[in-house]
Amino acid sequence: MHQLYGDPISGNCFKVALILHLTDRPFELIEVPVVKGAAKTDAYRALNPDGRVPLLRFPDGRLMGESNAMLCSLARGTAYRPTDPVLEDRMFELLFFEQYSHEPNIATVRFWKAFAGVPEGKADVLADKENAGRHALSVLDRGLQGREFLVGDALTVADIALFAYTHVAEQGGFALGDYPAIQAWLARVEAHPGFMPMPRLFADAPVATSMLAA
Ligand SMILES: N[C@@H](CCC(=O)N[C@@H](CS)C(=O)NCC(=O)O)C(=O)O
C-alpha cells in the first residue's frame, strides 16, 4: 500500500490523496502536523531533507517528494495524464505555473492567515504575495474562459494541481467571486465522478502513525 506523509490542512497533500483515490489506490496517512513543526524534526528530515510535506512512500519502499511529481507518477497510464504531445506540453506548463506563480502565493497567504499567523515583520511580504496571488488567479481565470477543463476536454493532473489551493483560496482572503470562470470550473472538478473533498479523503484513510514535533 502507498503511504502518504502529510497534513490534512495541506493542499499539496490533498492533490496526492485525490489522485491516489481516483486511481483506486488505498493509502495510509502518516500525519506530519506542519503547524507543530513536525516537518522540521530530525526524524522527518531523515526521510525528506527538504522538511516539507507531502512525501510519498511507494509500495516498493521508494520515497518521492514534490506533489506535482507525485501527480504525474501516479497518473501515468491513465486519462488524468495526457500523452498527446501538445496536451502534455500544456499540462507541464500549468504544473510549473502552479508551483512558481500560484502555490507559493496563495498557499502561503492562506497558511499564514488561516493557520499559523503572519510572521512578525512579514507584512510587506504578505502584501506582495496577496498581489501575486490575485495575478495568478486572473491568469488562471483567463486560461479557463471558454473551456471546461485546463487541458483538452477532460480532468487532468493540471486541474487537480490548480484546484488544490484555488478551492480554499478564500481562507486566505482571496475573493473568488471576482473570477467567474474559476468558480464554474471548481464546480466541474467537484462534479467529476470519484471526486472526494479534502476533509473526507483524509478522514477515510487509515492513519498509520503520527510524527509529532518533539
Ligand atoms: N513544492 C512542494 C511544496 C511543499 C510545501 O510547501 N509543503 C508545505 C505544506 S503545504 C510544508 O511542508 N510546510 C511545512 C514547513 O515549511 O514547515 C510540493 O509541491 O510538494
Side-chain angles (χ1 to χ4, degrees), residues 10-12 15 34 39-40 51-54 65-68 70 99 103 165:
S10 157
N12 286 319
K15 296 174 191 175
V34 292
K40 303 295 188 228
R52 292 173 194 274
V53 291
E66 293 301 328
S67 59
N68 287 358
M70 295 172 209
Q99 282 286 288
E103 188 264 8
Y165 282 106

Coordinates of all heavy atoms in Angstrom, one line a residue, residues 10-12 15 34 39-40 51-54 65-68 70 99 103 165, ligand 1:
S10 N -3.1 20.6 4.2 CA -2.3 21.0 3.1 C -2.9 20.6 1.8 O -3.2 19.5 1.5 CB -0.9 20.2 3.3 OG -0.3 20.1 2.0
G11 N -3.0 21.7 0.9 CA -3.5 21.4 -0.4 C -2.5 20.6 -1.2 O -3.0 19.8 -2.1
N12 N -1.2 20.7 -1.0 CA -0.3 19.8 -1.7 C -0.5 18.4 -1.4 O -0.4 17.5 -2.3 CB 1.1 20.3 -1.4 CG 1.5 21.6 -2.1 OD1 1.2 21.8 -3.2 ND2 2.2 22.4 -1.3
K15 N -3.8 17.1 -3.2 CA -3.6 16.7 -4.6 C -3.2 15.2 -4.7 O -3.8 14.5 -5.5 CB -2.3 17.4 -5.2 CG -2.4 18.9 -5.3 CD -1.0 19.4 -5.8 CE -0.8 20.8 -5.7 NZ 0.6 21.3 -6.1
V34 N 2.2 20.2 10.3 CA 3.2 21.2 9.9 C 3.1 22.4 10.9 O 4.2 23.0 11.2 CB 3.1 21.7 8.5 CG1 3.5 20.6 7.5 CG2 1.7 22.2 8.1
A39 N 7.4 18.8 10.3 CA 8.1 18.6 9.1 C 9.6 19.0 9.2 O 10.4 18.7 8.3 CB 7.5 19.3 8.0
K40 N 9.9 19.6 10.3 CA 11.3 20.2 10.5 C 12.1 19.3 11.5 O 13.2 19.7 11.9 CB 11.3 21.6 11.0 CG 10.5 22.6 10.1 CD 11.1 22.7 8.7 CE 10.5 23.8 7.9 NZ 10.2 23.3 6.5
G51 N 12.2 18.9 4.4 CA 11.4 19.3 5.5 C 10.1 19.8 5.2 O 9.6 20.7 5.8
R52 N 9.5 19.2 4.2 CA 8.1 19.6 3.7 C 7.3 18.4 3.5 O 7.8 17.3 3.2 CB 8.2 20.4 2.4 CG 8.8 21.8 2.6 CD 9.0 22.4 1.2 NE 9.8 23.6 1.3 CZ 9.5 24.8 1.6 NH1 8.2 25.0 1.9 NH2 10.3 25.8 1.7
V53 N 6.0 18.6 3.5 CA 5.0 17.5 3.1 C 4.4 18.0 1.8 O 4.4 19.2 1.6 CB 3.9 17.3 4.1 CG1 4.5 16.6 5.4 CG2 3.1 18.5 4.5
P54 N 3.9 17.1 0.9 CA 3.8 15.7 1.1 C 5.1 14.9 0.8 O 6.0 15.5 0.1 CB 2.7 15.3 0.1 CG 2.9 16.3 -1.0 CD 3.3 17.6 -0.3
G65 N 9.4 13.1 -3.1 CA 8.8 14.4 -2.7 C 8.2 15.2 -3.9 O 8.3 14.7 -5.0
E66 N 7.7 16.3 -3.6 CA 7.1 17.2 -4.7 C 5.7 16.7 -5.2 O 5.7 15.7 -6.0 CB 8.1 17.4 -5.9 CG 9.3 18.2 -5.5 CD 9.0 19.6 -4.9 OE1 8.0 20.2 -5.3 OE2 9.7 20.1 -4.0
S67 N 4.7 17.4 -4.8 CA 3.4 17.0 -5.1 C 3.1 16.8 -6.6 O 2.4 15.9 -7.0 CB 2.4 17.9 -4.5 OG 2.6 19.3 -5.0
N68 N 3.6 17.7 -7.4 CA 3.2 17.6 -8.8 C 4.0 16.5 -9.5 O 3.5 15.9 -10.4 CB 3.5 18.9 -9.5 CG 2.4 20.0 -9.2 OD1 1.5 19.7 -8.4 ND2 2.5 21.2 -9.7
M70 N 4.5 13.7 -7.9 CA 3.7 12.5 -7.5 C 2.4 12.4 -8.4 O 2.0 11.3 -8.8 CB 3.2 12.7 -6.0 CG 4.4 12.7 -5.0 SD 3.8 13.1 -3.4 CE 5.3 13.9 -2.7
Q99 N 3.4 25.8 -9.4 CA 4.4 25.7 -8.4 C 5.2 27.1 -8.3 O 5.7 27.4 -7.2 CB 5.4 24.6 -8.7 CG 4.9 23.2 -8.3 CD 4.9 23.0 -6.8 OE1 5.9 22.8 -6.2 NE2 3.7 23.0 -6.2
E103 N 0.9 28.5 -6.2 CA 1.0 27.9 -4.9 C 1.9 28.8 -3.9 O 1.4 29.0 -2.7 CB 1.5 26.5 -5.0 CG 1.5 25.7 -3.7 CD 2.8 25.7 -3.0 OE1 3.8 26.5 -3.4 OE2 2.9 25.0 -2.0
Y165 N -5.2 24.5 -4.2 CA -5.2 25.7 -3.4 C -6.2 26.8 -3.9 O -6.5 27.7 -3.1 CB -3.8 26.3 -3.3 CG -2.9 25.6 -2.4 CD1 -2.0 24.7 -2.8 CD2 -3.2 25.7 -1.0 CE1 -1.2 24.0 -1.9 CE2 -2.4 25.0 -0.1 CZ -1.5 24.1 -0.5 OH -0.7 23.4 0.4
Ligands
LIG1 N1 6.9 22.1 -3.8 C1 6.4 21.4 -2.7 C2 5.9 22.3 -1.6 C3 5.6 21.6 -0.3 C4 5.2 22.5 0.8 O1 5.5 23.7 0.7 N2 4.7 21.9 1.8 C5 4.2 22.7 3.0 C6 2.8 22.3 3.4 S1 1.7 22.6 2.1 C7 5.1 22.3 4.2 O2 5.5 21.2 4.3 N3 5.4 23.3 5.0 C8 6.0 22.9 6.3 C9 7.1 23.8 6.6 O3 7.6 24.5 5.8 O4 7.5 23.7 7.8 C10 5.3 20.4 -3.2 O5 4.5 20.8 -4.1 O6 5.2 19.3 -2.6

